[in-house]
Amino acid sequence: MYLFTANKFRQLLVVSIVCICGICNTYADPLDSFEARNASMIDFIRWVSDQTGENIILGKDVEGDITVVVKSIDSSQVMPFFKQVMRANGYSVKPTKDGFLEISIETIEYSASEPRISKVYKLQNLRNTKAKGVFEALLKSSAMGNNREGTSIANIALPPVVEILPSSNGLLLSGTASQIKLVDDFASEIDTESRQVVIEAVIVESDAGISKGLGVNLSTVLSANGFAVATNSLGAIINPSSLGEGGHLIFSQGGDLAGLISAIEKSSNSKILSHPQILIMDRERGNISVGQNVPFLTSRQTTDGGTVIQQIERKDVGVTLTVVPHILSNDSIILQIQQESSSVTDSSIAADIITNTRSISTIARLKDGQTILLGGLVSDESRTQRSGVPFFKDIPWLGRLFQFNSKSSIQRELTVLIKTTVI
């Protein structure tokens, strides 16, 4: 180990220019530019000690030659320049408790690699396909939190691995003991029982003229079957007869939906399109579709040989209900509802059949046992009725004298009632 002090080499500075192994400098501020190729490191350290007045201690195995080129530097930049040169050559400069500077070989700290172990987690409630993502996110966030910024660490430990066990609802975790313990602490919180929601829906279609009368009497029908109209967000009571285009209102729990269905069926101008019931797990998507799979002509091409090539696409036409429930802690339910009713009609104007579509898309919050009413979707239908004297109306040409054709436009309204029950 060598100790160089500023006083030891001060006697060499008799003149204003000092030359050490090709390094020439003046004591002017700023310092003159200089260049040293394959200069002795000891001589370079001696020059820095002389320029800064610092006492520098060389550690074991600090030796060799260096090359430096300085074009412009002043006395205040000598020490930062010196530390950067040492760092570039694989050495560190650290102050000691006694006020000296110690130069040593810079070492990289390696974290000890913990032995890897494996553990099987048998899930009771949560599906392993969903739990895998939760476990991986938990381990990833923990690894990011343990990464200390500003330290030079080469972590040679392999990342944890989470695998799905296809033969059972379980996961296989391979990692260190600390990673296994981290998952153990949260496994019971992650693997919780999922609640379910029973969705009972009634989709009704009626003539708009009749439905207005039905809407006026709807409050009476609801009250007779145990329903009570809930208030809206402004605290006002919503009158069912005032339900306009679209919109929804909520009825309190305790009502008899079967009795309400029976009352609606008694109307000759109302028809229940569908009465689906479905059991859905919390935050899962439930879908019910009742209808026909209708072919639609999407393109038509004629080849040079006269062959006609058609492309057909089949689509479901009918009644479709899609619900995604989200159960809150107070047994309130956030319902994401998508309801669609479609039908096809022929037209002499269009090139193909026409699809009539009425849909409702909404997100509503209601309590366990409450019923939500979605309505106000009105469509126009044109109907042509032909009547006449039997036999005579079918005679060519002369039959027109015994025929009577009438055209009418009928509005049809779609109403959806949805009742939720948490189990």
Side-chain angles (χ1 to χ4, degrees), residues 152-191:
S152 179
I153 298 178
N155 190 353
I156 59 178
L158 296 175
V161 178
V162 182
E163 296 290 346
I164 295 177
L165 297 178
S167 59
S168 64
N169 188 36
L171 293 173
L172 175 62
L173 174 61
S174 298
T176 62
S178 58
Q179 293 168 343
I180 296 293
K181 183 179 183 305
L182 177 64
V183 175
D184 288 341
D185 295 339
F186 288 92
S188 59
E189 299 294 332
I190 297 174
D191 188 22

Side-chain angles (χ1 to χ4, degrees), residues 20-80:
I20 302 176
C21 293
I23 301 179
C24 300
N25 185 43
T26 67
Y27 278 96
D29 189 12
L31 303 178
D32 294 339
S33 62
F34 62 87
E35 179 178 342
R37 295 182 180 275
N38 298 324
S40 172
M41 183 177 297
I42 296 177
D43 292 337
F44 177 68
I45 295 173
R46 183 185 295 116
W47 173 79
V48 173
S49 175
D50 187 66
Q51 293 290 332
T52 60
E54 295 285 349
N55 297 322
I56 303 176
I57 302 175
L58 274 67
K60 185 180 180 181
D61 297 331
V62 178
E63 57 185 11
D65 299 332
I66 61 172
T67 299
V68 293
V69 178
V70 176
K71 296 299 182 181
S72 176
I73 190 173
D74 56 41
S75 56
S76 63
Q77 296 175 330
V78 172
M79 184 53 65

Side-chain angles (χ1 to χ4, degrees), residues 82-201:
F82 170 65
K83 292 181 179 180
Q84 185 65 32
V85 172
M86 291 294 101
R87 189 178 299 110
N89 287 271
Y91 300 98
S92 62
V93 181
K94 299 179 181 179
T96 64
K97 296 181 180 179
D98 300 327
F100 302 110
L101 290 179
E102 181 179 0
I103 302 176
S104 60
I105 298 177
E106 187 174 15
T107 59
I108 300 177
E109 180 185 356
Y110 288 89
S111 62
S113 177
E114 299 181 47
R116 295 175 65 86
I117 58 178
S118 299
K119 183 176 180 179
V120 175
Y121 290 87
K122 295 182 178 180
L123 305 175
Q124 302 297 326
N125 303 289
L126 188 63
R127 286 183 294 177
N128 55 3
T129 53
K130 287 195 172 184
K132 179 183 178 182
V134 178
F135 279 33
E136 291 175 340
L138 175 64
L139 294 170
K140 182 179 179 180
S141 62
S142 175
M144 294 177 61
N146 293 332
N147 184 18
R148 296 175 295 173
E149 185 177 358
T151 60
S152 179
I153 298 178
N155 190 353
I156 59 178
L158 296 175
V161 178
V162 182
E163 296 290 346
I164 295 177
L165 297 178
S167 59
S168 64
N169 188 36
L171 293 173
L172 175 62
L173 174 61
S174 298
T176 62
S178 58
Q179 293 168 343
I180 296 293
K181 183 179 183 305
L182 177 64
V183 175
D184 288 341
D185 295 339
F186 288 92
S188 59
E189 299 294 332
I190 297 174
D191 188 22
T192 56
E193 183 179 359
S194 299
R195 307 182 70 181
Q196 300 182 92
V197 180
V198 176
I199 302 294
E200 186 176 3

Side-chain angles (χ1 to χ4, degrees), residues 369-381:
Q370 286 186 329
T371 302
I372 184 173
L373 174 65
L374 310 174
L377 295 179
V378 179
S379 64
D380 292 326
E381 295 182 7

